């Protein structure tokens, strides 16, 4: 069994940690796999362009460096921690309206992917490139941030277009997604070290990118709430060190009907 | 707008003159890590032989020189060959192995030399810089700190001849020096490829210099990549003199169009606010403002502000070896008056001329051959 987090940001977009710092953060805590998923904004909208100019998202120009650093850090993560690092992006369609905004995670990418166009086409492109697509925080995330409801509003039409839908983001579990029959995944949407205390995905597969992505597609996974003692002072008494990984509360015990719905 | 320009100018002057803490003194009997110096050459720069010769007897225990040219026909080939033949005691090589990894001709020129560099510590040094004996020790001492990933230097312009050369020298020794130090002070490194020291092992972590061949400002992008790795990019306290030589006005203009379009492409928002920071624009708004509230003579207040602005630049100029006389003021004023017309020209266009090539810039400094 290994803990995994498939939604993590770095300084290549709006995260506060560099990629090497992210790798060390997860590696030192014994995680088995992470995906670094920095934002890619739309190239034709004012919001997307502004985000690019402000360095809040990846651009065609910064992407080659991003991919190279991910490659070298994946090697380092494996060498030091036996942890798999999967290259990803979060294709971010941001509009003034939350109902027109959508974030789509692509995992296992090999080249730059555009956030332009309709979400169904984007999801199709992701699969055509051999990557997998995840609907990121499709419902109210409960945080003071941009909300993205577009995918959820089109969930019946897009149900098959995505390999997984985030059932949790950060420390918040989404009952709407949980109670649906959609394929699921839980991630932290980590931007700062403190976000380590959040829902994670638990996998039981070989520590290899293909095996990990296959487990997501086949939904051979469960979710755990991870409480990080080093970056969470409030709960520092629960664990003696940050090597203590998983709190006992898990989705499986709390929401036993989920396996049935999957079947 | 007036006050923003004035505040930034004052801040820049203070920062550029602020004495550096003397915490990086060289302790005795320390190990100086061997360095490979890459010298990408293209054509005969002004005083090329003299410039390259300053690298022959540096006060440093172990270093090698790797000259690279793109073709045997390049006049710099014979100059480098002569230097190597005359100085067999120096570990030096001349590499002619053009590659085409991307549109950036400088990176293409030096990739093979980079691959052949024997040492982990690599210095990329342009052909038009002239250094003193202690240069390598001055810059390599910063690399002893494991948090430092790259060291670059402020360039000071010397031996500028012709109108273009004089404008270039005054630009490098005033506006450029001030801004470079200001940006570093506020954690926004702007690396200059004329003097760039880093580790090959660090560069491998972002794909090596090969990956930089697609950018116009390979130096700036290298600095950004180092920063993304969580390492520091530091500015050496000593400037590196660049031999400007004879430049026509057109050379100066085209060079600044290229620099400006790099800035526009890579830091667009900063480029947008540049006009507010130009002395003539700022002083113009100041004159209008003072006329409105004090009913002062706008021509007088404009000229008075320009003079104050120049006087604030004098210490930076003197530090770079420029005598602050009437001629220096006139060249300075001409350079300042050209800043806004240049900016307008830069704003309308995406192509640049570089080393005889017409190149097109895309967002983020990506290059495509036009």
């Amino acid at each position: 069994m290994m803990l995994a987090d498939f939604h993590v940001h770095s300084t290549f977009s709006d995260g506060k940690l560099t990629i090497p710092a992210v790798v060390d953060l997860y590696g030192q805590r014994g995680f088995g796999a992470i995906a670094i998923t920095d934002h890619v904004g739309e190239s034709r909208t004012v919001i997307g362009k502004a985000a690019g100019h402000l360095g809040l998202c990846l651009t065609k120009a910064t992407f080659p460096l991003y991919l190279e650093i991910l490659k070298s850090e994946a090697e380092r993560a494996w060498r030091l921690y036996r942890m798999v690092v999967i290259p990803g992006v979060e294709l971010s369609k941001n509009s003034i309206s939350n109902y027109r905004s959508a974030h789509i995670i692509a995992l296992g990418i090999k080249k730059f992917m555009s956030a332009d166009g309709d979400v169904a086409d984007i999801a199709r492109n992701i699969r055509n490139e051999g990557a997998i697509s995840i609907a990121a925080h499709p419902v109210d995330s409960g945080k003071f941030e941009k909300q993205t409801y577009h995918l959820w509003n089109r969930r019946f039409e897009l149900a098959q277009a995505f390999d997984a839908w985030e059932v949790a983001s950060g420390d918040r579990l989404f009952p709407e997604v949980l109670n649906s029959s959609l394929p699921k995944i839980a991630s932290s949407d980590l931007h700062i070290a403190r976000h380590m205390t959040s829902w994670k995905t638990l996998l039981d597969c070989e520590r290899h990118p293909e095996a990990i992505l296959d487990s997501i597609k086949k939904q051979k996974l469960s979710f755990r709430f991870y409480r990080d003692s080093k970056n969470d002072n409030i709960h520092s008494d629960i664990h003696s060190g940050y090597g203590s990984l998983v709190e006992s509360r898990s989705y499986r015990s709390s929401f036993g009907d989920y396996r049935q719905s999957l079947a | 707008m007036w006050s923003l320009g004035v505040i930034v100018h004052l801040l820049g002057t203070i920062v550029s003159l602020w004495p550096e803490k003397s915490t990086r003194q060289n302790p005795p009997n320390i190990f100086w890590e061997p360095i490979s110096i890459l010298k990408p050459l293209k054509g005969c720069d002004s005083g090329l032989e003299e410039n390259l010769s300053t690298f022959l007897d540096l006060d440093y225990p172990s270093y090698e020189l790797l000259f690279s040219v793109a073709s045997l026909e390049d006049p710099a080939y014979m100059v480098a060959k002569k230097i190597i033949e005359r100085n067999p005691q120096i570990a030096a090589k001349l590499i002619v192995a053009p590659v085409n990894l991307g549109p950036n001709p400088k990176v293409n020129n030096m990739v093979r030399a980079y691959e052949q560099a024997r040492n982990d510590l690599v210095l990329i040094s342009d052909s038009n810089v002239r250094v003193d004996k202690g240069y390598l020790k001055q810059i390599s001492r910063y690399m002893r700190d494991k948090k430092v990933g790259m060291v670059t230097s402020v360039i000071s312009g010397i031996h500028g001849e012709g109108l273009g050369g004089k404008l270039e020298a005054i630009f490098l020794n005033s506006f450029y020096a001030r801004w470079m130090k200001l940006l570093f002070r506020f954690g926004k490194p702007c690396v200059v490829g004329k003097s760039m020291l880093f580790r090959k092992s660090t560069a491998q972590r972002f794909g090596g210099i090969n990956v930089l061949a697609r950018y116009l400002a390979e130096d700036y992008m290298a600095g950004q990549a180092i920063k993304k790795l969580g390492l520091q990019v530091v500015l050496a306290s000593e400037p590196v003199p660049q031999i400007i030589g004879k430049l026509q006005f057109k050379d100066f203009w085209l060079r600044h169009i290229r620099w400006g379009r790099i800035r526009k492409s890579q830091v667009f928002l900063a480029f947008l606010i540049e006009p507010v920071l130009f002395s003539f624009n700022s002083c113009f708004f100041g004159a209008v403002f003072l006329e409105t509230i004090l009913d002062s003579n706008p021509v007088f207040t404009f000229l008075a502000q320009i003079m104050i602005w120049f006087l604030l630049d004098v210490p930076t100029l003197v530090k770079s070896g420029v005598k602050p006389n009437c001629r220096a003021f006139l060249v300075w004023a001409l350079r300042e008056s050209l800043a806004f017309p240049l900016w307008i020209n830069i704003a309308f266009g995406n192509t640049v001329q570089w080393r005889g090539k017409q190149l097109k810039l895309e967002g983020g400094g990506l290059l495509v051959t036009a």
Side-chain angles (χ1 to χ4, degrees):
Chain A
M1 296 293 271
M2 63 171 155
L3 267 175
D5 194 343
F6 298 109
H7 189 163
V8 179
H9 294 277
S10 79
T11 50
F12 269 96
S13 63
D14 56 351
K16 297 288 177 231
L17 303 170
T18 60
I19 292 176
V22 167
V23 165
D24 289 333
L25 183 76
Y26 283 90
Q28 286 166 1
R29 285 156 178 79
F31 274 66
I34 59 166
I36 296 181
T37 55
D38 277 307
H39 294 282
V40 171
E42 288 175 285
S43 65
R44 294 177 203 143
T45 62
V46 175
I47 295 175
K49 282 181 182 175
H53 290 312
L54 289 166
L56 296 174
C57 67
L58 285 165
T59 61
K60 268 187 187 170
T62 53
F63 187 78
L65 290 174
Y66 175 69
L67 216 51
E68 289 291 344
I69 292 177
L70 278 180
K71 201 168 120 190
S72 67
E73 283 303 301
E75 286 167 12
R76 191 175 70 89
W78 184 252
R79 202 172 56 243
L80 288 182
Y81 307 115
R82 285 286 176 269
M83 180 175 79
V84 174
V85 176
I86 296 169
V89 284
E90 184 175 8
L91 304 171
S92 307
K93 298 176 77 66
N94 290 323
S95 160
I96 295 168
S97 163
N98 291 339
Y99 295 93
R100 286 204 299 269
S101 300
H103 287 193
I104 300 166
I105 289 172
L107 296 185
I109 53 158
K110 292 176 187 72
K111 63 175 199 179
F112 183 76
M113 309 205 82
S114 165
D116 299 330
D118 184 66
V119 289
D121 295 331
I122 291 173
R124 198 175 306 117
N125 286 342
I126 292 169
R127 281 184 176 166
N128 288 344
E129 291 299 329
I132 72 167
S133 57
I134 296 169
H137 38 74
V139 294
D140 186 2
S141 68
K143 297 178 203 162
F144 183 68
E145 62 178 14
K146 176 91 203 129
Q147 300 299 322
T148 51
Y149 304 146
H150 185 74
L151 298 178
W152 187 249
N153 286 353
R154 288 173 64 184
R155 62 189 176 280
F156 300 112
E157 172 200 346
L158 296 170
Q160 301 303 316
F162 290 96
D163 296 293
W165 295 65
E166 279 186 354
V167 68
S169 180
D171 59 0
R172 193 174 170 100
L173 196 66
F174 305 140
E176 305 96 311
V177 183
L178 189 68
N179 296 322
S180 74
S181 60
L182 293 165
K184 299 167 181 68
I185 196 166
S187 301
S188 68
D189 195 1
L190 180 134
H191 286 78
I192 53 175
R194 197 162 44 84
H195 292 167
M196 279 300 280
T197 295
S198 55
W199 285 89
K200 310 281 190 234
T201 297
L202 200 60
L203 298 170
D204 187 10
C205 67
E206 194 193 338
R207 291 194 181 199
H208 187 277
E210 282 176 24
I212 291 164
L213 296 181
D214 195 53
S215 287
I216 298 171
K217 277 188 208 168
K218 292 178 178 162
Q219 288 286 287
K220 291 178 182 168
L221 44 80
S222 60
F223 319 125
R224 289 290 166 98
F225 190 80
Y226 177 86
R227 205 176 286 282
D228 187 55
S229 54
K230 185 163 187 186
N231 286 299
D232 188 351
N233 294 332
I234 303 163
H235 301 285
S236 58
D237 56 322
I238 297 174
H239 302 293
S240 56
Y242 60 78
S244 310
L245 293 174
V246 188
E247 201 204 335
S248 58
R249 185 159 65 108
S250 76
Y251 120 84
R252 221 180 279 185
S253 56
S254 308
F255 305 96
D257 58 339
Y258 177 51
R259 285 261 155 212
Q260 279 186 320
S261 68
L262 270 179
Chain B
M1 281 165 82
W2 174 54
S3 48
L4 181 65
V6 171
I7 288 165
V8 172
H9 185 61
L10 279 171
L11 200 60
T13 305
I14 293 164
V15 164
S16 63
L17 296 174
W18 201 261
E20 208 206 2
K21 284 179 200 168
S22 56
T23 53
R24 295 183 194 268
Q25 291 301 313
N26 301 328
N29 304 322
I30 59 153
F31 171 68
W32 293 100
E33 209 180 320
I35 298 178
S36 295
I37 304 173
L38 267 57
K39 280 277 178 193
L41 309 175
K42 169 79 178 170
C44 270
D45 293 318
S46 179
L48 178 64
E49 195 170 340
E50 291 87 342
N51 299 346
L52 298 182
S53 298
T54 61
F55 285 81
L56 298 175
D57 60 345
L58 295 172
D59 174 23
Y60 201 78
S62 177
Y63 68 94
E64 63 169 349
L65 274 168
L66 299 162
F67 301 106
S68 61
V69 287
S71 83
L72 289 167
E73 282 75 46
D74 195 308
Y77 172 80
M78 286 312 293
V79 177
K81 194 165 178 274
K82 198 166 78 179
I83 286 175
I84 292 173
E85 284 168 357
R86 278 187 193 165
N87 299 279
Q89 77 285 4
I90 299 291
K93 268 192 211 169
L94 175 57
I95 295 137
V96 190
V99 290
N100 189 14
L101 293 169
N104 186 311
K106 184 179 168 185
V107 175
N108 286 336
N109 185 5
M110 65 184 173
V111 158
R112 291 287 174 254
Y114 176 80
E115 286 167 356
Q116 291 189 32
R118 285 179 306 178
N119 304 311
D120 189 36
L121 217 47
V122 171
L123 169 71
I124 294 176
S125 167
D126 278 4
S127 56
N128 56 3
V129 299
R130 204 172 278 186
V131 297
D132 60 34
K133 277 178 177 274
Y135 168 61
L136 284 187
K137 282 188 177 174
Q138 285 162 11
I139 57 169
S140 64
R141 63 189 178 177
Y142 296 93
M143 295 299 287
R144 287 205 292 268
D145 184 344
K146 295 291 173 207
K147 288 181 203 150
V148 173
M150 186 174 272
V151 184
T152 189
S153 304
V154 173
I155 304 300
S156 62
I158 59 168
H159 302 326
E161 293 165 28
L163 181 59
K166 291 194 187 323
L167 286 168
E168 185 67 17
I170 213 89
F171 165 78
L172 287 174
N173 298 327
S174 58
F175 185 89
Y176 157 81
R178 197 172 61 236
W179 269 99
M180 181 97 167
K181 287 175 182 174
L182 196 63
L183 288 171
F184 268 87
R185 186 69 67 172
F186 286 94
K188 301 282 176 199
C190 185
V191 173
V192 177
K194 292 189 185 299
S195 175
M196 202 164 111
L197 180 71
F198 58 98
R199 286 181 193 285
K200 261 178 123 174
S201 52
T202 305
Q204 280 318 114
R205 294 174 68 192
F206 61 79
I209 65 166
N210 301 17
V211 80
L212 304 174
R214 66 192 83 200
Y215 304 102
L216 177 59
E218 78 292 337
D219 43 7
Y220 175 81
M221 289 310 289
Q224 293 303 303
I226 295 277
K227 231 185 130 191
K228 296 288 185 200
L229 287 169
L231 297 167
Q232 291 171 12
V233 179
V234 301
L235 189 65
S237 56
E238 299 80 6
V240 171
Q242 176 194 332
I243 311 302
I244 295 168
K246 194 170 174 67
L247 287 183
Q248 307 286 334
F249 179 78
K250 190 186 166 194
D251 300 326
F252 167 81
W253 186 266
L254 287 176
R255 182 182 165 80
H256 284 267
I257 295 280
R258 178 158 62 88
W259 275 30
R261 289 196 175 141
I262 293 174
R263 291 199 306 278
K264 187 179 86 166
S265 165
Q266 293 193 305
V267 280
F268 182 70
L269 296 179
F271 173 77
L272 282 183
I273 61 160
E274 272 182 17
V276 181
L277 309 173
F278 295 151
S279 59
F280 272 53
N281 296 10
S282 188
C283 294
F284 169 78
F285 288 119
V288 172
F289 173 68
L290 291 173
E291 186 194 14
T292 312
I293 61 161
L294 299 173
D295 202 22
S296 59
N297 180 335
V299 177
F300 173 77
T301 48
F302 176 78
L303 292 174
Q305 286 176 89
I306 288 289
M307 187 51 79
I308 293 167
W309 201 288
F310 174 71
L311 290 173
L312 284 169
D313 259 347
V314 164
T316 318
L317 289 168
V318 169
K319 218 177 166 186
S320 306
V322 178
K323 283 182 188 164
N325 53 22
C326 189
R327 184 184 281 185
F329 171 72
L330 289 174
V331 178
W332 177 89
L334 178 60
R335 210 298 304 175
E336 294 293 317
S337 69
L338 289 170
F340 191 54
L342 252 171
W343 186 88
I344 297 279
N345 202 313
I346 291 160
F348 295 99
N350 288 314
T351 57
V352 290
Q353 291 271 0
W354 192 25
R355 298 190 177 194
K357 270 188 174 180
Q358 175 93 345
L359 300 161
K360 193 179 170 198
L361 265 169
E362 289 184 347
L366 275 179
L367 269 179
V368 286
T369 309

